[in-house]
């Protein structure tokens, strides 16, 4: 069976819990390890990776890729899950 995920869901990865509520907009920031400067090729890879699921898993509103960190504003979309 496949169904669209439209309810809030909770997952746990590593030491951090993760909540995802479809339709809610999130501001996300992440940094490189020890604030290392990323070469241009790495920043392009991050950009392509972020946009891979645009309009499939999430709607991207804003992306800012800096030398050592990234800012995103995204809205998760309902998606199919195998139950």
């Amino acid at each position: 069976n496949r169904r669209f995920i439209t309810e809030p869901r909770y997952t746990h990865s590593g030491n951090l819990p993760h909540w995802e509520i479809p339709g809610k907009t999130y501001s996300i920031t992440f940094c490189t390890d020890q604030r290392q400067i990323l070469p241009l090729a790495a920043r392009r890879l991050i950009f392509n990776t972020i946009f891979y699921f645009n309009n499939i898993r999430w709607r991207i509103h804003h992306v800012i890729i800096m030398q050592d960190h990234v800012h995103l504003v995204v809205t998760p979309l309902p998606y199919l899950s195998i139950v």
Side-chain angles (χ1 to χ4, degrees):
N1 278 343
R2 290 180 183 247
R3 65 183 177 92
F4 279 100
I5 302 298
T6 57
E7 298 297 317
R9 72 182 193 128
Y10 172 83
T11 59
H12 197 274
S13 176
N15 295 324
L16 300 174
H18 300 283
W19 280 97
E20 182 177 325
I21 303 171
K24 299 293 182 185
T25 300
Y26 295 87
S27 174
I28 301 167
T29 299
F30 60 92
C31 302
T32 60
D33 184 41
Q34 298 180 10
R35 303 300 287 230
Q36 294 177 354
I37 302 299
L38 293 170
L40 183 57
R43 286 181 262 155
R44 285 184 179 145
L45 178 63
I46 291 169
F47 179 88
N48 291 335
T49 302
I50 289 169
F51 274 90
Y52 182 80
F53 284 111
N54 188 35
N55 293 318
I56 297 170
R57 289 286 309 267
W58 51 58
R59 179 166 295 113
I60 297 172
H61 302 286
H62 300 284
V63 175
I64 301 172
I65 301 175
M66 306 298 285
Q67 291 181 344
D68 63 350
H69 67 284
V70 176
H71 299 283
L72 304 164
V73 178
V74 299
T75 303
L77 299 173
Y79 56 92
L80 285 173
S81 175
I82 299 174
V83 178

